Amino acid sequence: MTTELVLASGSAIRAQLLRNAGVQIRVAPAVIDEISVRRALEAEGAPPRDVADTLAEMKAKKASSKAPDHLVLGCDQVLAVDRKIISKPATPQEARDQLMLLRDRKHQLLSAAVIYKDGKPTWRHVSTARLTMRAFSESYIDGYIDRNWQSIQHSVGGYKLEEEGVRLFARVEGDYFTILGLPLLELLGYLTISGVVEE
C-alpha cells in the first residue's frame, strides 16, 4: 500500500468492501443536496446513468477540496424502473409503495464511482445490474418491511440483496458489487495502476 484513499461516502458497505479488499481508506462523507440535484437533472431529462455519475462527481469534488493531495472517491447508486428514479424510502409506507411498484418487474441499479485528485476528476465508471422481482404476496411484503425497516430505510428501493431482500428476486443479472453500490473490480484496477494498491 502506497497511499490512502478518501471515501466521500458514509456507506458502511462501501467502506467494508474496500477494507476487505485491502484498500487503506479514510472515510470523509461529503454532504450535498442530493434530492434537489436529482430533481433538477430529472427535470432536464437526464438519464439515470447521468444522474448517478453527476451525484458521485459532486461528492468527490466536495471532499477533494478538503484533501487535495489525496485520491478521493465519490459514489452514488440510482435505482431506475422505466427511467423513473426511485430513492431511499422515507417511511415504511413509502418502502411498501416502492416494492409494490417493482413487484414482478425488471429494474436497474446503476452504481457510479468518480475519483478526484488535486481538484480534478481522474477516473470514473458507471456499472449497471438488472434485477427482476418475483410476484411476492402483499402479506409477505408487509412482514418483510416490519422485520427489516431499520436496515432497508438506508437502501434505494427498500431492499438489501445481501439480507432477506434476496427473497424478493426471481433473477439477478450483473456484478454483485454493483448491486451493493460500488463497481469494485473496475475501481481496484484503477487503484492498482495508480499505485494505491500493490500490483
Side-chain angles (χ1 to χ4, degrees), residues 80-105:
V81 55
D82 297 337
R83 287 184 62 92
K84 174 183 171 61
I85 294 177
I86 294 178
S87 302
K88 296 174 183 176
T91 64
Q93 182 59 50
E94 190 173 336
R96 189 182 195 280
D97 293 342
Q98 290 180 359
L99 291 165
M100 292 303 293
L101 174 66
L102 299 174
R103 181 173 69 166
D104 203 25
R105 297 176 71 181

PDB file of all heavy atoms in Angstrom, residues 80-105:
ATOM      1  N   ALA A  80     -33.506   2.585 -11.171  1.00  0.00           N
ATOM      2  CA  ALA A  80     -34.378   3.092 -12.236  1.00  0.00           C
ATOM      3  C   ALA A  80     -35.309   1.992 -12.723  1.00  0.00           C
ATOM      4  O   ALA A  80     -34.884   0.870 -12.975  1.00  0.00           O
ATOM      5  CB  ALA A  80     -33.548   3.619 -13.399  1.00  0.00           C
ATOM      6  N   VAL A  81     -36.578   2.344 -12.848  1.00  0.00           N
ATOM      7  CA  VAL A  81     -37.561   1.452 -13.441  1.00  0.00           C
ATOM      8  C   VAL A  81     -38.313   2.279 -14.486  1.00  0.00           C
ATOM      9  O   VAL A  81     -38.936   3.281 -14.158  1.00  0.00           O
ATOM     10  CB  VAL A  81     -38.498   0.823 -12.381  1.00  0.00           C
ATOM     11  CG1 VAL A  81     -39.183   1.867 -11.533  1.00  0.00           C
ATOM     12  CG2 VAL A  81     -39.509  -0.102 -13.034  1.00  0.00           C
ATOM     13  N   ASP A  82     -38.188   1.870 -15.749  1.00  0.00           N
ATOM     14  CA  ASP A  82     -38.778   2.633 -16.856  1.00  0.00           C
ATOM     15  C   ASP A  82     -38.369   4.105 -16.798  1.00  0.00           C
ATOM     16  O   ASP A  82     -39.198   4.998 -16.944  1.00  0.00           O
ATOM     17  CB  ASP A  82     -40.313   2.513 -16.835  1.00  0.00           C
ATOM     18  CG  ASP A  82     -40.774   1.082 -17.056  1.00  0.00           C
ATOM     19  OD1 ASP A  82     -40.004   0.299 -17.649  1.00  0.00           O
ATOM     20  OD2 ASP A  82     -41.892   0.757 -16.627  1.00  0.00           O
ATOM     21  N   ARG A  83     -37.090   4.352 -16.568  1.00  0.00           N
ATOM     22  CA  ARG A  83     -36.482   5.701 -16.497  1.00  0.00           C
ATOM     23  C   ARG A  83     -36.932   6.500 -15.283  1.00  0.00           C
ATOM     24  O   ARG A  83     -36.478   7.622 -15.071  1.00  0.00           O
ATOM     25  CB  ARG A  83     -36.743   6.503 -17.783  1.00  0.00           C
ATOM     26  CG  ARG A  83     -35.923   6.013 -18.971  1.00  0.00           C
ATOM     27  CD  ARG A  83     -36.140   6.890 -20.194  1.00  0.00           C
ATOM     28  NE  ARG A  83     -35.713   8.265 -19.968  1.00  0.00           N
ATOM     29  CZ  ARG A  83     -34.504   8.737 -20.252  1.00  0.00           C
ATOM     30  NH1 ARG A  83     -33.571   7.938 -20.730  1.00  0.00           N
ATOM     31  NH2 ARG A  83     -34.224  10.018 -20.051  1.00  0.00           N
ATOM     32  N   LYS A  84     -37.808   5.941 -14.460  1.00  0.00           N
ATOM     33  CA  LYS A  84     -38.199   6.606 -13.221  1.00  0.00           C
ATOM     34  C   LYS A  84     -37.186   6.238 -12.149  1.00  0.00           C
ATOM     35  O   LYS A  84     -36.875   5.056 -11.950  1.00  0.00           O
ATOM     36  CB  LYS A  84     -39.600   6.157 -12.790  1.00  0.00           C
ATOM     37  CG  LYS A  84     -40.037   6.686 -11.420  1.00  0.00           C
ATOM     38  CD  LYS A  84     -41.402   6.133 -11.054  1.00  0.00           C
ATOM     39  CE  LYS A  84     -41.790   6.454  -9.613  1.00  0.00           C
ATOM     40  NZ  LYS A  84     -41.882   7.873  -9.334  1.00  0.00           N
ATOM     41  N   ILE A  85     -36.663   7.246 -11.467  1.00  0.00           N
ATOM     42  CA  ILE A  85     -35.670   7.019 -10.417  1.00  0.00           C
ATOM     43  C   ILE A  85     -36.363   6.892  -9.062  1.00  0.00           C
ATOM     44  O   ILE A  85     -37.227   7.687  -8.714  1.00  0.00           O
ATOM     45  CB  ILE A  85     -34.642   8.161 -10.393  1.00  0.00           C
ATOM     46  CG1 ILE A  85     -33.816   8.144 -11.681  1.00  0.00           C
ATOM     47  CG2 ILE A  85     -33.733   8.042  -9.169  1.00  0.00           C
ATOM     48  CD1 ILE A  85     -32.832   9.270 -11.795  1.00  0.00           C
ATOM     49  N   ILE A  86     -35.961   5.858  -8.333  1.00  0.00           N
ATOM     50  CA  ILE A  86     -36.516   5.599  -7.006  1.00  0.00           C
ATOM     51  C   ILE A  86     -35.429   5.837  -5.962  1.00  0.00           C
ATOM     52  O   ILE A  86     -34.303   5.359  -6.110  1.00  0.00           O
ATOM     53  CB  ILE A  86     -37.058   4.160  -6.915  1.00  0.00           C
ATOM     54  CG1 ILE A  86     -38.257   4.015  -7.858  1.00  0.00           C
ATOM     55  CG2 ILE A  86     -37.440   3.816  -5.489  1.00  0.00           C
ATOM     56  CD1 ILE A  86     -38.846   2.636  -7.882  1.00  0.00           C
ATOM     57  N   SER A  87     -35.765   6.566  -4.925  1.00  0.00           N
ATOM     58  CA  SER A  87     -34.806   6.920  -3.880  1.00  0.00           C
ATOM     59  C   SER A  87     -34.966   6.020  -2.658  1.00  0.00           C
ATOM     60  O   SER A  87     -35.772   5.086  -2.653  1.00  0.00           O
ATOM     61  CB  SER A  87     -35.018   8.378  -3.476  1.00  0.00           C
ATOM     62  OG  SER A  87     -34.870   9.238  -4.583  1.00  0.00           O
ATOM     63  N   LYS A  88     -34.228   6.350  -1.613  1.00  0.00           N
ATOM     64  CA  LYS A  88     -34.369   5.626  -0.352  1.00  0.00           C
ATOM     65  C   LYS A  88     -35.738   5.961   0.231  1.00  0.00           C
ATOM     66  O   LYS A  88     -36.153   7.119   0.211  1.00  0.00           O
ATOM     67  CB  LYS A  88     -33.273   6.053   0.621  1.00  0.00           C
ATOM     68  CG  LYS A  88     -31.876   5.695   0.147  1.00  0.00           C
ATOM     69  CD  LYS A  88     -30.819   6.266   1.067  1.00  0.00           C
ATOM     70  CE  LYS A  88     -29.430   5.974   0.535  1.00  0.00           C
ATOM     71  NZ  LYS A  88     -28.363   6.603   1.350  1.00  0.00           N
ATOM     72  N   PRO A  89     -36.452   4.976   0.742  1.00  0.00           N
ATOM     73  CA  PRO A  89     -37.784   5.249   1.301  1.00  0.00           C
ATOM     74  C   PRO A  89     -37.699   6.027   2.609  1.00  0.00           C
ATOM     75  O   PRO A  89     -36.868   5.732   3.465  1.00  0.00           O
ATOM     76  CB  PRO A  89     -38.356   3.852   1.527  1.00  0.00           C
ATOM     77  CG  PRO A  89     -37.159   2.982   1.728  1.00  0.00           C
ATOM     78  CD  PRO A  89     -36.077   3.553   0.859  1.00  0.00           C
ATOM     79  N   ALA A  90     -38.561   7.017   2.754  1.00  0.00           N
ATOM     80  CA  ALA A  90     -38.558   7.842   3.971  1.00  0.00           C
ATOM     81  C   ALA A  90     -39.400   7.229   5.081  1.00  0.00           C
ATOM     82  O   ALA A  90     -39.183   7.520   6.264  1.00  0.00           O
ATOM     83  CB  ALA A  90     -39.064   9.239   3.648  1.00  0.00           C
ATOM     84  N   THR A  91     -40.359   6.377   4.708  1.00  0.00           N
ATOM     85  CA  THR A  91     -41.260   5.764   5.685  1.00  0.00           C
ATOM     86  C   THR A  91     -41.512   4.312   5.288  1.00  0.00           C
ATOM     87  O   THR A  91     -41.308   3.937   4.121  1.00  0.00           O
ATOM     88  CB  THR A  91     -42.621   6.488   5.713  1.00  0.00           C
ATOM     89  OG1 THR A  91     -43.258   6.318   4.430  1.00  0.00           O
ATOM     90  CG2 THR A  91     -42.451   7.982   6.012  1.00  0.00           C
ATOM     91  N   PRO A  92     -42.000   3.484   6.219  1.00  0.00           N
ATOM     92  CA  PRO A  92     -42.365   2.114   5.852  1.00  0.00           C
ATOM     93  C   PRO A  92     -43.410   2.073   4.734  1.00  0.00           C
ATOM     94  O   PRO A  92     -43.342   1.206   3.859  1.00  0.00           O
ATOM     95  CB  PRO A  92     -42.895   1.528   7.163  1.00  0.00           C
ATOM     96  CG  PRO A  92     -42.168   2.285   8.224  1.00  0.00           C
ATOM     97  CD  PRO A  92     -42.054   3.689   7.687  1.00  0.00           C
ATOM     98  N   GLN A  93     -44.353   2.998   4.736  1.00  0.00           N
ATOM     99  CA  GLN A  93     -45.367   3.021   3.677  1.00  0.00           C
ATOM    100  C   GLN A  93     -44.728   3.320   2.325  1.00  0.00           C
ATOM    101  O   GLN A  93     -45.111   2.731   1.310  1.00  0.00           O
ATOM    102  CB  GLN A  93     -46.448   4.066   3.979  1.00  0.00           C
ATOM    103  CG  GLN A  93     -47.566   4.115   2.932  1.00  0.00           C
ATOM    104  CD  GLN A  93     -48.296   2.791   2.759  1.00  0.00           C
ATOM    105  OE1 GLN A  93     -48.726   2.196   3.738  1.00  0.00           O
ATOM    106  NE2 GLN A  93     -48.436   2.318   1.511  1.00  0.00           N
ATOM    107  N   GLU A  94     -43.754   4.209   2.309  1.00  0.00           N
ATOM    108  CA  GLU A  94     -43.069   4.511   1.051  1.00  0.00           C
ATOM    109  C   GLU A  94     -42.282   3.303   0.573  1.00  0.00           C
ATOM    110  O   GLU A  94     -42.230   3.018  -0.630  1.00  0.00           O
ATOM    111  CB  GLU A  94     -42.144   5.718   1.219  1.00  0.00           C
ATOM    112  CG  GLU A  94     -41.594   6.225  -0.095  1.00  0.00           C
ATOM    113  CD  GLU A  94     -40.818   7.529   0.047  1.00  0.00           C
ATOM    114  OE1 GLU A  94     -41.067   8.273   1.020  1.00  0.00           O
ATOM    115  OE2 GLU A  94     -39.973   7.801  -0.820  1.00  0.00           O
ATOM    116  N   ALA A  95     -41.683   2.569   1.496  1.00  0.00           N
ATOM    117  CA  ALA A  95     -40.973   1.338   1.123  1.00  0.00           C
ATOM    118  C   ALA A  95     -41.952   0.342   0.500  1.00  0.00           C
ATOM    119  O   ALA A  95     -41.657  -0.307  -0.505  1.00  0.00           O
ATOM    120  CB  ALA A  95     -40.299   0.723   2.346  1.00  0.00           C
ATOM    121  N   ARG A  96     -43.134   0.233   1.101  1.00  0.00           N
ATOM    122  CA  ARG A  96     -44.145  -0.680   0.570  1.00  0.00           C
ATOM    123  C   ARG A  96     -44.571  -0.259  -0.836  1.00  0.00           C
ATOM    124  O   ARG A  96     -44.692  -1.087  -1.739  1.00  0.00           O
ATOM    125  CB  ARG A  96     -45.360  -0.727   1.494  1.00  0.00           C
ATOM    126  CG  ARG A  96     -46.369  -1.807   1.136  1.00  0.00           C
ATOM    127  CD  ARG A  96     -47.581  -1.773   2.071  1.00  0.00           C
ATOM    128  NE  ARG A  96     -48.364  -2.985   1.970  1.00  0.00           N
ATOM    129  CZ  ARG A  96     -49.253  -3.246   1.007  1.00  0.00           C
ATOM    130  NH1 ARG A  96     -49.457  -2.349   0.037  1.00  0.00           N
ATOM    131  NH2 ARG A  96     -49.918  -4.385   0.999  1.00  0.00           N
ATOM    132  N   ASP A  97     -44.791   1.046  -1.026  1.00  0.00           N
ATOM    133  CA  ASP A  97     -45.192   1.545  -2.342  1.00  0.00           C
ATOM    134  C   ASP A  97     -44.122   1.248  -3.386  1.00  0.00           C
ATOM    135  O   ASP A  97     -44.427   0.848  -4.519  1.00  0.00           O
ATOM    136  CB  ASP A  97     -45.451   3.053  -2.288  1.00  0.00           C
ATOM    137  CG  ASP A  97     -46.667   3.417  -1.436  1.00  0.00           C
ATOM    138  OD1 ASP A  97     -47.497   2.516  -1.167  1.00  0.00           O
ATOM    139  OD2 ASP A  97     -46.775   4.596  -1.044  1.00  0.00           O
ATOM    140  N   GLN A  98     -42.849   1.436  -3.007  1.00  0.00           N
ATOM    141  CA  GLN A  98     -41.762   1.172  -3.937  1.00  0.00           C
ATOM    142  C   GLN A  98     -41.698  -0.305  -4.305  1.00  0.00           C
ATOM    143  O   GLN A  98     -41.573  -0.668  -5.485  1.00  0.00           O
ATOM    144  CB  GLN A  98     -40.424   1.615  -3.324  1.00  0.00           C
ATOM    145  CG  GLN A  98     -40.272   3.115  -3.194  1.00  0.00           C
ATOM    146  CD  GLN A  98     -38.941   3.510  -2.587  1.00  0.00           C
ATOM    147  OE1 GLN A  98     -38.117   2.657  -2.231  1.00  0.00           O
ATOM    148  NE2 GLN A  98     -38.714   4.813  -2.454  1.00  0.00           N
ATOM    149  N   LEU A  99     -41.788  -1.150  -3.300  1.00  0.00           N
ATOM    150  CA  LEU A  99     -41.687  -2.585  -3.558  1.00  0.00           C
ATOM    151  C   LEU A  99     -42.870  -3.099  -4.371  1.00  0.00           C
ATOM    152  O   LEU A  99     -42.708  -3.977  -5.229  1.00  0.00           O
ATOM    153  CB  LEU A  99     -41.550  -3.339  -2.233  1.00  0.00           C
ATOM    154  CG  LEU A  99     -40.207  -3.105  -1.532  1.00  0.00           C
ATOM    155  CD1 LEU A  99     -40.258  -3.568  -0.085  1.00  0.00           C
ATOM    156  CD2 LEU A  99     -39.079  -3.817  -2.288  1.00  0.00           C
ATOM    157  N   MET A 100     -44.047  -2.550  -4.140  1.00  0.00           N
ATOM    158  CA  MET A 100     -45.201  -2.948  -4.940  1.00  0.00           C
ATOM    159  C   MET A 100     -45.041  -2.488  -6.392  1.00  0.00           C
ATOM    160  O   MET A 100     -45.470  -3.168  -7.324  1.00  0.00           O
ATOM    161  CB  MET A 100     -46.488  -2.382  -4.334  1.00  0.00           C
ATOM    162  CG  MET A 100     -46.862  -3.013  -2.981  1.00  0.00           C
ATOM    163  SD  MET A 100     -47.042  -4.826  -3.047  1.00  0.00           S
ATOM    164  CE  MET A 100     -48.496  -4.961  -4.097  1.00  0.00           C
ATOM    165  N   LEU A 101     -44.407  -1.342  -6.590  1.00  0.00           N
ATOM    166  CA  LEU A 101     -44.130  -0.869  -7.947  1.00  0.00           C
ATOM    167  C   LEU A 101     -43.144  -1.789  -8.663  1.00  0.00           C
ATOM    168  O   LEU A 101     -43.285  -2.072  -9.854  1.00  0.00           O
ATOM    169  CB  LEU A 101     -43.547   0.555  -7.890  1.00  0.00           C
ATOM    170  CG  LEU A 101     -43.065   1.140  -9.231  1.00  0.00           C
ATOM    171  CD1 LEU A 101     -44.231   1.359 -10.190  1.00  0.00           C
ATOM    172  CD2 LEU A 101     -42.302   2.439  -8.990  1.00  0.00           C
ATOM    173  N   LEU A 102     -42.168  -2.300  -7.919  1.00  0.00           N
ATOM    174  CA  LEU A 102     -41.131  -3.148  -8.501  1.00  0.00           C
ATOM    175  C   LEU A 102     -41.553  -4.611  -8.633  1.00  0.00           C
ATOM    176  O   LEU A 102     -40.919  -5.373  -9.367  1.00  0.00           O
ATOM    177  CB  LEU A 102     -39.860  -3.074  -7.649  1.00  0.00           C
ATOM    178  CG  LEU A 102     -39.208  -1.694  -7.521  1.00  0.00           C
ATOM    179  CD1 LEU A 102     -38.052  -1.744  -6.528  1.00  0.00           C
ATOM    180  CD2 LEU A 102     -38.738  -1.190  -8.874  1.00  0.00           C
ATOM    181  N   ARG A 103     -42.626  -5.000  -7.941  1.00  0.00           N
ATOM    182  CA  ARG A 103     -43.062  -6.398  -7.918  1.00  0.00           C
ATOM    183  C   ARG A 103     -43.323  -6.924  -9.323  1.00  0.00           C
ATOM    184  O   ARG A 103     -43.997  -6.284 -10.143  1.00  0.00           O
ATOM    185  CB  ARG A 103     -44.331  -6.536  -7.069  1.00  0.00           C
ATOM    186  CG  ARG A 103     -44.847  -7.972  -6.982  1.00  0.00           C
ATOM    187  CD  ARG A 103     -45.990  -8.108  -6.010  1.00  0.00           C
ATOM    188  NE  ARG A 103     -47.208  -7.448  -6.479  1.00  0.00           N
ATOM    189  CZ  ARG A 103     -48.409  -7.645  -5.946  1.00  0.00           C
ATOM    190  NH1 ARG A 103     -48.549  -8.460  -4.906  1.00  0.00           N
ATOM    191  NH2 ARG A 103     -49.458  -7.026  -6.416  1.00  0.00           N
ATOM    192  N   ASP A 104     -42.748  -8.110  -9.617  1.00  0.00           N
ATOM    193  CA  ASP A 104     -42.965  -8.810 -10.887  1.00  0.00           C
ATOM    194  C   ASP A 104     -42.475  -7.982 -12.084  1.00  0.00           C
ATOM    195  O   ASP A 104     -42.992  -8.122 -13.189  1.00  0.00           O
ATOM    196  CB  ASP A 104     -44.446  -9.162 -11.050  1.00  0.00           C
ATOM    197  CG  ASP A 104     -44.649 -10.337 -12.012  1.00  0.00           C
ATOM    198  OD1 ASP A 104     -43.713 -11.148 -12.173  1.00  0.00           O
ATOM    199  OD2 ASP A 104     -45.736 -10.428 -12.614  1.00  0.00           O
ATOM    200  N   ARG A 105     -41.463  -7.124 -11.852  1.00  0.00           N
ATOM    201  CA  ARG A 105     -40.928  -6.285 -12.926  1.00  0.00           C
ATOM    202  C   ARG A 105     -39.402  -6.279 -12.864  1.00  0.00           C
ATOM    203  O   ARG A 105     -38.792  -6.595 -11.846  1.00  0.00           O
ATOM    204  CB  ARG A 105     -41.412  -4.829 -12.786  1.00  0.00           C
ATOM    205  CG  ARG A 105     -42.906  -4.672 -12.922  1.00  0.00           C
ATOM    206  CD  ARG A 105     -43.321  -3.242 -12.679  1.00  0.00           C
ATOM    207  NE  ARG A 105     -42.899  -2.363 -13.775  1.00  0.00           N
ATOM    208  CZ  ARG A 105     -43.134  -1.049 -13.780  1.00  0.00           C
ATOM    209  NH1 ARG A 105     -43.750  -0.468 -12.767  1.00  0.00           N
ATOM    210  NH2 ARG A 105     -42.747  -0.312 -14.797  1.00  0.00           N
TER     211      ARG A 105
END
